[in-house]
C-alpha cells in the first residue's frame, strides 16, 4: 500500500509531456471526476487491482480456517470505516457544490450511507456491547445489516455511472447546493434508520442467514445476490466511456468490494474465521482507495493554489518594480530633457542673440548676408532642438496643452500669412484665406505649428509654379476634416511606409530642400494628443494630400487682436529705470548688456551668483529683476522664493530668462510669482517689450 501511495503522489506531481497535457491546462478540468483518465492512471489502477487479486488468491484457500475471537477488531475496523467514508463523502459533497454534478451527489450519498450503516452494524454485533447486541437487535440483525450495507453501495455506484455527466440545469441543487447536501444527509440518515428498524424490530420477518457463528443455506442466495450487484456495478462502470480518473478508482473499489464479500460471506463458514477478518480488511481498503486519491488531489490543488498565489505575488512585485523603473525612467527623461534644453539653448543664446544685435548694426550687403546666414543656421538648429524635445515630451506623455474652442478660419489664415514669403520665393500659388466660421477643440499655438509644418512641406516639395489647395468638410457629426493638397511630385508607395519615421527625409536630404525629418512626426503626435488624427495620401506625379481630423465645438473664443511690436518701440525713448540681471554665464551677461544698451535710460546691475543677486536686490531695490535658473550657489527657484518672501523685494517684478523651456517648469514658476518666463535663445524684441512694459 505504501508503494502505491508513493506512486500515486508521484503521478499527481509529474508534469505531462507530449503524451498528455498538464492537469491544470484549460479543457481538462481540475477534479478527478472531470479529469479524463490517461494511460498512466490506468496502469496505476491496474497495479492496485493486481495487488488485491494476489492477496485474494493467497487468502481464498484459507478463508474457512477458524481464528481466535478478537473483539477489539470490530470497533476498530468499524470506526476506521466510518471515518474514511465520512471524509470521502464530505470531499465529494464539496466537489458537488462546485461542479453541481448529480453523479457526484449520488456517489457522495452512497459513501455517507456506508458510514451511517456501519454504526448500527457495530452496535448490534452480538457479544460486543451486549450478548444479543444493542438497539434491540437479534442474532440475525448484524448479518442482515451487512447484506443491506454491501448491497446498497453498489446501487449508488450504478446510479452514479448511469446518470448524465452534465450538471443539473435547474432546481434548488443548482441554485443552493447547501440545501441539496443537507437533504442528502437527512435522506441517508432516514434510510439507515429504516433499515435498522427493519432488521431489529422486524427481524422475525426476515429469513435466518446465520446460526451461531456459521451461515445458513439461505445466506448463499442472499450473499450471491449482493455479490452480483457488485459485479453489475463494476460492469456498468467499465462500459461507461470515456473513463474519468474517479471512474477508474471506483472500479478498483468495486474489485475490493467483490473480494470483501467473497471472503467474508461466500467462501468462509461464518464469523471469526480468516475470511471474516480478511474480508473486512478488503472493506477497509475499499473505503480508502477513493479517499486517498481525493486527499492527494486536494493536496495537489492546494499546492497549485499556493504556487499560483506565489506566482501572482511575484508578478505583482515584477509589475511594481517595472512601474517604479518606468517612473524613474520618466523622471530621468524629464531631467534629461530639462538639462538638454538648458545645455543646447545656452550657446544658441549667444549665437542668435549677438546675431540679432549685429543685424541691427551692419550696413553693407555682404555683412548683412553673413549675419542672415548666422541667424538662419541658429534658428534652424533651435527649431530642430524644439522639435526633438516636443517629440520626446509626446512620447513621455508630458506635453501640456491648453485645449479650447478655436476658430479654424483664424488659424488657417494666420498660417497662410506666415508662409506667403516662402511660397512667393518658390512661385507657388496659395489659396485665398478661407471663410469657415467653424470651431474645433485644439491648442491654438500647437494647431498653428502643425499647419505651418504641413504648408511649409507643401511649398518646399511642390513644383515651380505649382499650387496648394486647402479645404474643410464634416468628417462625422462631431469631427471636422481639414485637407492640404499640393501639386508636387508625390511620394512612392514604398516610401509612404517610412513617412512618420523620425529623421527620415525620404531621400530629400540629397537635395537642396532644407528640413529636419521631424516635422511630420511631430505634427502627427500633436494632432493625436489634441484628440484628432493626421493621415497622408500621395501618388507619384499627382501630388500629396494631408488630412487632419479634429473634434468640433459650437463655441469659440473671440480672437485676440494681434500685437504690433513696432507700436511698443515708440516707448523705448521713455523707458528708464534699474534692471538687475542674475546670470552666471558671461556670454549671456554680455548679450543682455548689449540689448539693454538699446534703451539708454535703463541702468543694468549684474550678479553672477544667487546670494549676490539677493543682496543687490535688497540694497538697490531695482525696478526689474531678470533671473536665470541655473546658478552656481542657489537654484533660481530658491532665489525667486526668497525675493517674494522678503518685504523689501516682494513687489519687484521678476522675469525668468532660462534655457529650460519645459512647459511644466514655465507653468510652475509663473504660478510661483514670476511676471514672465522668457526662454533662451533670447528673442531681443520680446525682451525689449518686457523692459518697455515694466519701465515705461
Amino acid at each position: 500500500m505504501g508503494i502505491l501511495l508513493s506512486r500515486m503522489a508521484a503521478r499527481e506531481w509529474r508534469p505531462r509531456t507530449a503524451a498528455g497535457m498538464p492537469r491544470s491546462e484549460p479543457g481538462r478540468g481540475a477534479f478527478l471526476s472531470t479529469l479524463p483518465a490517461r494511460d498512466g492512471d490506468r496502469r496505476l489502477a491496474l497495479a492496485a487491482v493486481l495487488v488485491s487479486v494476489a492477496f485474494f488468491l493467497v487468502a481464498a484457500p484459507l478463508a474457512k480456517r477458524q481464528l481466535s475471537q478478537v473483539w477489539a477488531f470490530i470497533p476498530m475496523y468499524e470506526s476506521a470505516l466510518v471515518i474514511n467514508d465520512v471524509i470521502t463523502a464530505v470531499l465529494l459533497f464539496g466537489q458537488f457544490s462546485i461542479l453541481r454534478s448529480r453523479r457526484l451527489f449520488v456517489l457522495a450519498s452512497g459513501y455517507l450511507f456506508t458510514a451511517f450503516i456501519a454504526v448500527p452494524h457495530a452496535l448490534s454485533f452480538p457479544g460486543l456491547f451486549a450478548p444479543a447486541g444493542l438497539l434491540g437487535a437479534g442474532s440475525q440483525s448484524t448479518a442482515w445489516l451487512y447484506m443491506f450495507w454491501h448491497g446498497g453501495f453498489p446501487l449508488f455506484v450504478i446510479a452514479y455511472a448511469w446518470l448524465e455527466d452534465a450538471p443539473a440545469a435547474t432546481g434548488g441543487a443548482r441554485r443552493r447546493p447547501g440545501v441539496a447536501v443537507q437533504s442528502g444527509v437527512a435522506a441517508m440518515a432516514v434510510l439507515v434508520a429504516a433499515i435498522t428498524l427493519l432488521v431489529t424490530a422486524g427481524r422475525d420477518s426476515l429469513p435466518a442467514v446465520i446460526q451461531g457463528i456459521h451461515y445458513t443455506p439461505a445466506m448463499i442466495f442472499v450473499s450471491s445476490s449482493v455479490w452480483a450487484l457488485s459485479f453489475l456495478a463494476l460492469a456498468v462502470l467499465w462500459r461507461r466511456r470515456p473513463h474519468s480518473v474517479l471512474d477508474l478508482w471506483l472500479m478498483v473499489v468495486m474489485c475490493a468490494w467483490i473480494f470483501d464479500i467473497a471472503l467474508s460471506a461466500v467462501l468462509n463458514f461464518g464469523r471469526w474465521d480468516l475470511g471474516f477478518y480478511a474480508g473486512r480488511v478488503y472493506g477497509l481498503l475499499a473505503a480508502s482507495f477513493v479517499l486517498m486519491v481525493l486527499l492527494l488531489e486536494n493536496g495537489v490543488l492546494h499546492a497549485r493554489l499556493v504556487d499560483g498565489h506565489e506566482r501572482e505575488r511575484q508578478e505583482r512585485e515584477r509589475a511594481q518594480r517595472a512601474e517604479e523603473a518606468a517612473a524613474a525612467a520618466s523622471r530621468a527623461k524629464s531631467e534629461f530633457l530639462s538639462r538638454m534644453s538648458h545645455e543646447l539653448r545656452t550657446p544658441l543664446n549667444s549665437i542668435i542673440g549677438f546675431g540679432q544685435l549685429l543685424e541691427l548694426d551692419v550696413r553693407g550687403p555682404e555683412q548683412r548676408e553673413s549675419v542672415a546666414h548666422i541667424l538662419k543656421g541658429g534658428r534652424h538648429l533651435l527649431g530642430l532642438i524644439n522639435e526633438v524635445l516636443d517629440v520626446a515630451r509626446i512620447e513621455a506623455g508630458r506635453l501640456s496643452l491648453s485645449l479650447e474652442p478655436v476658430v479654424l478660419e483664424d488659424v488657417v489664415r494666420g498660417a497662410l500669412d506666415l508662409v506667403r514669403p516662402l511660397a512667393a520665393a518658390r512661385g507657388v500659388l496659395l489659396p485665398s484665406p478661407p471663410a469657415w466660421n467653424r470651431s474645433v477643440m485644439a491648442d491654438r499655438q500647437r494647431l498653428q505649428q502643425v499647419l505651418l509644418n504641413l504648408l511649409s512641406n507643401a511649398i518646399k516639395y511642390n513644383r515651380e509654379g505649382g499650387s496648394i489647395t486647402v479645404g474643410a468638410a464634416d468628417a462625422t457629426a462631431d469631427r471636422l476634416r481639414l485637407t492640404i493638397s499640393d501639386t508636387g511630385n508625390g511620394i512612392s508607395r514604398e516610401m509612404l511606409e517610412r513617412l512618420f519615421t523620425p529623421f527620415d527625409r525620404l531621400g530629400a536630404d540629397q537635395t537642396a530642400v532644407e528640413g529636419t525629418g521631424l516635422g511630420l512626426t511631430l505634427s502627427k503626435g500633436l494632432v493625436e494628443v489634441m484628440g484628432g488624427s493626421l493621415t497622408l495620401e500621395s501618388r507619384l506625379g499627382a501630388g500629396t494630400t494631408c488630412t487632419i481630423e479634429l473634434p468640433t465645438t459650437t463655441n469659440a473664443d473671440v480672437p485676440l487682436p494681434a500685437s504690433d511690436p513696432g507700436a511698443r518701440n515708440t516707448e523705448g525713448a521713455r523707458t528708464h529705470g534699474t534692471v538687475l540681471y542674475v546670470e552666471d554665464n558671461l556670454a549671456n551677461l554680455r548679450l543682455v548688456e548689449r540689448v539693454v544698451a538699446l534703451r539708454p535710460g535703463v541702468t543694468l546691475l549684474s550678479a553672477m551668483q544667487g546670494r549676490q543677486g539677493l543682496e543687490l536686490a535688497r540694497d538697490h531695490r531695482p525696478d526689474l529683476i531678470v533671473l536665470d535658473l541655473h546658478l552656481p550657489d542657489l537654484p533660481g527657484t530658491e532665489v525667486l522664493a526668497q525675493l517674494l518672501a522678503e518685504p523689501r523685494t516682494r513687489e519687484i517684478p521678476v522675469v525668468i530668462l532660462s534655457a529650460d523651456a519645459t512647459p511644466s517648469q514655465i507653468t510652475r514658476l509663473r504660478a510661483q510669482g514670476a511676471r514672465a518666463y522668457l526662454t533662451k535663445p533670447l528673442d531681443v524684441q520680446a525682451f525689449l517689450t518686457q523692459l518697455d512694459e515694466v519701465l515705461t
Side-chain angles (χ1 to χ4, degrees):
M1 177 59 74
I3 296 175
L4 284 177
L5 276 173
S6 62
R7 291 187 62 191
M8 287 162 64
R11 284 296 300 166
E12 287 296 327
W13 280 104
R14 186 178 302 136
R16 304 261 173 120
T17 55
M21 297 182 297
R23 297 194 170 194
S24 59
E25 288 194 9
R28 291 212 63 206
F31 298 103
L32 297 182
S33 58
T34 58
L35 195 65
R38 298 287 183 172
D39 291 340
D41 300 311
R42 295 186 179 92
R43 286 193 294 269
L44 190 59
L46 180 60
V49 172
L50 292 177
V51 170
S52 299
V53 170
F55 279 108
F56 175 76
L57 293 176
V58 172
L62 307 174
K64 297 180 181 180
R65 177 174 295 182
Q66 200 68 28
L67 302 177
S68 60
Q69 298 181 1
V70 182
W71 292 99
F73 174 78
I74 299 300
M76 291 171 56
Y77 156 73
E78 303 277 13
S79 299
L81 203 63
V82 170
I83 292 172
N84 279 7
D85 286 343
V86 167
I87 295 174
T88 305
V90 169
L91 293 174
L92 291 173
F93 274 132
Q95 292 194 13
F96 158 74
S97 65
I98 297 171
L99 301 176
R100 306 296 201 272
S101 170
R102 293 174 294 181
R103 300 174 59 245
L104 285 178
F105 178 81
V106 169
L107 186 61
S109 300
Y111 272 96
L112 197 61
F113 168 78
T114 63
F116 283 174
I117 203 168
V119 175
H121 181 270
L123 294 177
S124 64
F125 199 89
L128 184 60
F129 299 104
L134 299 177
L135 305 177
S139 59
Q140 308 296 315
S141 299
T142 302
W144 273 108
L145 281 171
Y146 178 89
M147 293 302 159
F148 279 112
W149 172 7
H150 285 72
F153 182 72
L155 293 176
F156 284 99
V157 174
I158 292 171
Y160 162 84
W162 276 349
L163 283 173
E164 292 294 330
D165 239 345
T170 60
R174 181 169 181 81
R175 294 191 301 270
R176 300 174 61 188
V179 174
V181 172
Q182 293 172 11
S183 301
V185 173
M188 292 305 101
V190 170
L191 177 60
V192 171
I195 293 174
T196 303
L197 185 62
L198 173 63
V199 301
T200 53
R203 60 183 179 274
D204 294 336
S205 61
L206 298 173
V209 292
I210 191 168
Q211 189 172 13
I213 62 172
H214 298 290
Y215 298 140
T216 67
M219 183 64 160
I220 299 175
F221 174 76
V222 176
S223 59
S224 299
S225 301
V226 171
W227 205 22
L229 285 176
S230 298
F231 279 107
L232 178 61
L234 180 60
V236 172
L237 280 172
W238 177 259
R239 288 179 58 83
R240 184 183 179 277
R241 300 297 172 88
H243 293 145
S244 68
V245 177
L246 182 58
D247 294 339
L248 283 183
W249 287 101
L250 278 176
M251 284 189 274
V252 175
V253 168
M254 294 316 302
C255 288
W257 204 261
I258 290 170
F259 299 147
D260 173 7
I261 298 172
L263 289 172
S264 59
V266 177
L267 301 178
N268 67 332
F269 277 144
R271 294 178 180 143
W272 310 117
D273 54 19
L274 188 141
F276 174 84
Y277 286 106
R280 276 149 181 79
V281 171
Y282 269 107
L284 187 57
L285 287 176
S288 303
F289 282 125
V290 170
L291 175 61
M292 286 187 294
V293 294
L294 287 174
L295 290 177
L296 284 172
E297 175 195 37
N298 276 270
V300 170
L301 291 177
H302 178 72
R304 288 174 181 164
L305 180 63
V306 171
D307 186 54
H309 285 172
E310 179 64 19
R311 287 198 301 269
E312 184 179 354
R313 183 187 64 80
Q314 292 175 357
E315 287 294 332
R316 286 199 302 268
E317 290 179 354
R318 281 195 291 268
Q320 183 177 359
R321 288 195 297 268
E323 185 177 349
E324 292 172 355
S330 179
R331 289 193 298 270
K333 190 171 185 178
S334 298
E335 293 172 3
F336 171 77
L337 291 176
S338 177
R339 175 60 61 183
M340 288 298 296
S341 174
H342 179 269
E343 296 300 331
L344 293 174
R345 288 171 182 271
T346 297
L348 278 176
N349 185 48
S350 298
I351 296 171
I352 297 178
F354 282 109
Q356 292 177 82
L357 292 177
L358 286 173
E359 190 178 32
L360 297 175
D361 293 339
V362 297
R363 294 292 181 266
E366 292 184 358
Q367 292 176 324
R368 296 186 68 84
E369 182 181 0
S370 298
V371 172
H373 281 300
I374 293 173
L375 290 176
K376 182 179 180 181
R379 285 166 179 155
H380 176 76
L381 183 56
L382 177 61
L384 176 60
I385 293 170
N386 289 335
E387 289 180 345
V388 169
L389 294 177
D390 280 342
V391 170
R393 291 189 190 105
I394 291 173
E395 292 178 350
R398 291 182 171 271
L399 185 68
S400 58
L401 298 177
S402 177
L403 297 179
E404 59 183 352
V406 176
V407 178
L408 193 59
E409 175 184 346
D410 296 343
V411 183
V412 174
R413 184 189 300 272
L416 287 172
D417 289 341
L418 289 173
V419 299
R420 285 193 189 280
L422 178 62
R426 294 271 300 163
V428 175
L429 179 63
L430 291 180
S432 301
W436 304 321
N437 190 22
R438 299 292 302 277
S439 300
V440 294
M441 286 298 296
D443 183 300
R444 182 185 296 272
Q445 179 182 356
R446 294 298 189 178
L447 179 56
Q448 187 168 64
Q449 180 181 357
V450 171
L451 294 178
L452 286 175
N453 276 336
L454 299 182
L455 288 170
S456 297
N457 284 346
I459 294 171
K460 290 188 297 183
Y461 299 106
N462 213 323
R463 57 181 173 82
E464 293 286 342
S467 63
I468 294 174
T469 58
V470 180
D474 289 322
T476 61
D478 56 354
R479 291 174 75 86
L480 189 69
R481 179 184 295 120
L482 175 67
T483 57
I484 299 175
S485 303
D486 63 56
T487 57
N489 293 325
I491 305 172
S492 66
R493 183 182 299 274
E494 293 76 16
M495 287 189 174
L496 278 176
E497 298 177 356
R498 299 156 40 196
L499 191 62
F500 295 104
T501 304
F503 300 107
D504 190 344
R505 297 190 59 205
L506 308 182
D509 47 345
Q510 305 298 324
T511 67
V513 180
E514 295 181 350
T516 63
L518 281 175
L520 281 177
T521 303
L522 177 59
S523 298
K524 181 177 176 65
L526 289 174
V527 172
E528 289 176 351
V529 172
M530 288 187 288
S533 63
L534 188 152
T535 57
L536 188 144
E537 296 178 359
S538 184
R539 286 190 303 164
L540 282 176
T544 302
T545 298
C546 295
T547 302
I548 300 174
E549 289 189 8
L550 288 170
T552 59
T553 181
T554 55
N555 299 317
D557 290 340
V558 178
L560 297 175
S563 59
D564 182 6
R568 284 205 177 96
N569 290 338
T570 61
E571 303 290 341
R574 295 189 292 129
T575 300
H576 60 86
T578 302
V579 175
L580 171 62
Y581 184 30
V582 185
E583 167 66 74
D584 66 320
N585 186 285
L586 189 59
N588 293 337
L589 184 59
R590 293 291 177 263
L591 173 61
V592 171
E593 287 177 350
R594 293 285 305 275
V595 174
V596 171
L598 297 175
R599 296 292 185 262
V602 177
T603 301
L604 180 68
L605 302 176
S606 62
M608 300 188 71
Q609 291 188 343
R611 291 187 177 88
Q612 183 185 8
L614 290 170
E615 293 176 2
L616 290 175
R618 285 191 289 264
D619 294 341
H620 293 273
R621 309 282 290 278
D623 300 294
L624 175 66
I625 297 175
V626 180
L627 177 63
D628 182 41
L629 295 180
H630 295 271
L631 300 171
D633 57 340
L634 286 178
T637 54
E638 178 63 24
V639 174
L640 176 62
Q642 293 191 31
L643 288 171
L644 296 174
E646 172 66 42
R648 288 176 292 175
T649 58
R650 68 174 51 158
E651 300 300 329
I652 301 175
V654 178
V655 173
I656 304 297
L657 178 57
S658 174
D660 188 347
T662 53
S664 58
Q665 180 83 309
I666 296 173
T667 303
R668 183 168 60 85
L669 290 177
R670 289 294 300 271
Q672 187 176 338
R675 170 187 171 85
Y677 194 113
L678 301 179
T679 60
K680 300 174 184 177
L682 178 65
D683 185 329
V684 172
Q685 186 58 54
F687 184 75
L688 290 174
T689 299
Q690 287 294 327
L691 292 182
D692 294 340
E693 288 180 350
V694 175
L695 303 180
T696 298

